Amino acid sequence: MTTQTDINSLLQARYGADAPSLPDVAEDPALALLLSHRSVRAYTPQPVPAQALEMMIAAAQSASTSSNLQTWSVVAVEDPAAKERLSRLGGDQRHIRECPLYLVWLADLARLEAVGERRNRPRDGLDYLELLLVGAMDAALASQNAAVAAEAQGLGVVYIGGMRDRPEEVAAELGLPPRTVAVFGMCVGYPDPARPTSIKPRLPIDAVLHRERYDTAAQGEPVDRYVATMADFYKSQQMKTNGDWAEHSLHRVRGPEAMRGRDRLAEALKARGFLAR
């Protein structure tokens, strides 16, 4: 049974000195599971059972979806050669090759396109940015439900943004039709106990929670506190970074040279049948 002490310990791991004190928090295994999330990049060779994958997808399909359009799909990849190719397309990340199951989450407007074609109905709305955003949001909501379902079954996951580095080649590898695009990948597997991972601290709640109106001025001090918290985390994990959290983050957004090919994403999306308007 999850206890109040467990929940507060998890909050302490997530926020450090900025952890909220919640003496009356309910004993809730679901809350504990959410607060326990961490990225897992090292796995045992044990395959992911088909039943576990199907439960993840059932959880994904239970997520909210805009207007019930369900504008997402996912491709499950277990073939080692295919994972090797996807790894090369996604920044040569070792965990894509090593995970027993790799999921590629898609913004998928092709299904609605096909339905409209079969019924000979207009579907010009699929050309607009709004529908691409709906597809990306639907995929994100679905995948997060799947991630929680995976962790509830003893699995670990890590998201892979590298699927957006070379989207046309990823599409060719997976046989994607027009109006579909890989939004991100997800490695799935049983965590390797020999290579454990820790809960990564997040920004203090008062850096992201605004009440009534957005308050830019109020963010400076909590962000500075977080920089100090992350310095301790980087040191404890022996992580190599480009300076402190602020410098490391700014290094990632410094310009197109830091985007690993994603600076041409609008061009790639148009090639995939998106963003006509």
Side-chain angles (χ1 to χ4, degrees):
M1 177 183 293
T2 303
T3 67
Q4 293 179 2
T5 301
D6 292 332
I7 293 292
N8 280 289
S9 295
L10 291 168
L11 288 168
Q12 182 70 37
R14 184 64 72 195
Y15 294 106
D18 282 297
S21 178
L22 302 176
D24 298 323
V25 67
E27 298 178 3
D28 190 328
L31 288 176
L33 183 64
L34 291 168
L35 293 169
S36 298
H37 170 73
R38 71 222 38 213
S39 294
V40 174
R41 295 178 174 85
Y43 309 94
T44 71
Q46 182 180 355
V48 175
Q51 180 175 310
L53 172 58
E54 289 173 5
M55 184 57 69
M56 289 174 63
I57 301 308
Q61 291 192 280
S62 299
S64 298
T65 171
S66 180
S67 301
N68 200 31
L69 294 177
Q70 302 177 70
T71 51
W72 66 273
S73 290
V74 62
V75 180
V77 181
E78 296 177 292
D79 176 65
K83 287 187 294 177
E84 172 66 35
R85 291 190 295 271
L86 288 168
S87 173
R88 291 198 300 268
L89 294 175
D92 198 30
Q93 298 182 67
R94 182 186 66 188
H95 31 285
I96 300 177
R97 298 191 297 272
E98 294 181 351
C99 67
L101 172 65
Y102 187 59
L103 301 179
V104 183
W105 296 86
L106 313 174
D108 183 356
L109 304 185
R111 188 162 44 242
L112 283 174
E113 173 76 25
V115 170
E117 183 175 2
R118 288 198 302 271
R119 298 202 173 199
N120 195 28
R121 297 294 298 275
R123 49 201 181 273
D124 290 348
L126 297 177
D127 291 335
Y128 286 81
L129 175 61
E130 162 66 6
L131 267 295
L132 172 60
L133 288 176
V134 165
M137 290 185 292
D138 269 11
L141 292 168
S143 70
Q144 187 58 28
N145 262 27
V148 174
E151 291 169 345
Q153 298 176 92
L155 296 158
V157 307
V158 64
Y159 282 89
I160 304 294
M163 292 297 93
R164 300 189 301 278
D165 291 1
R166 295 155 71 179
E168 297 101 327
E169 293 172 75
V170 170
E173 171 65 32
L174 298 176
L176 302 184
R179 294 196 189 274
T180 59
V181 67
V183 183
F184 43 76
M186 178 190 285
C187 297
V188 185
Y190 291 98
D192 184 351
R195 294 186 283 174
T197 186
S198 298
I199 293 175
K200 183 177 289 185
R202 294 290 197 251
L203 285 161
I205 288 175
D206 56 348
V208 301
L209 174 61
H210 302 263
R211 298 188 184 275
E212 311 305 336
R213 293 177 63 84
Y214 194 99
D215 187 352
T216 303
Q219 294 189 46
E221 197 271 334
V223 168
D224 289 343
R225 298 198 313 268
Y226 181 67
V227 167
T229 298
M230 283 303 294
D232 292 338
F233 181 80
Y234 291 150
K235 183 177 180 180
S236 70
Q237 301 296 305
Q238 298 181 320
M239 294 177 66
K240 295 180 180 179
T241 62
N242 292 295
D244 62 21
W245 176 82
E247 289 298 325
H248 183 73
S249 299
L250 292 170
H251 185 75
R252 291 292 300 272
V253 300
R254 67 188 184 277
E257 70 278 7
M259 299 181 72
R260 298 186 300 190
R262 298 180 211 178
D263 54 300
R264 55 172 299 278
L265 189 55
E267 173 189 338
L269 286 168
K270 288 179 181 178
R272 297 292 309 140
F274 294 95
L275 296 181
R277 304 181 188 181

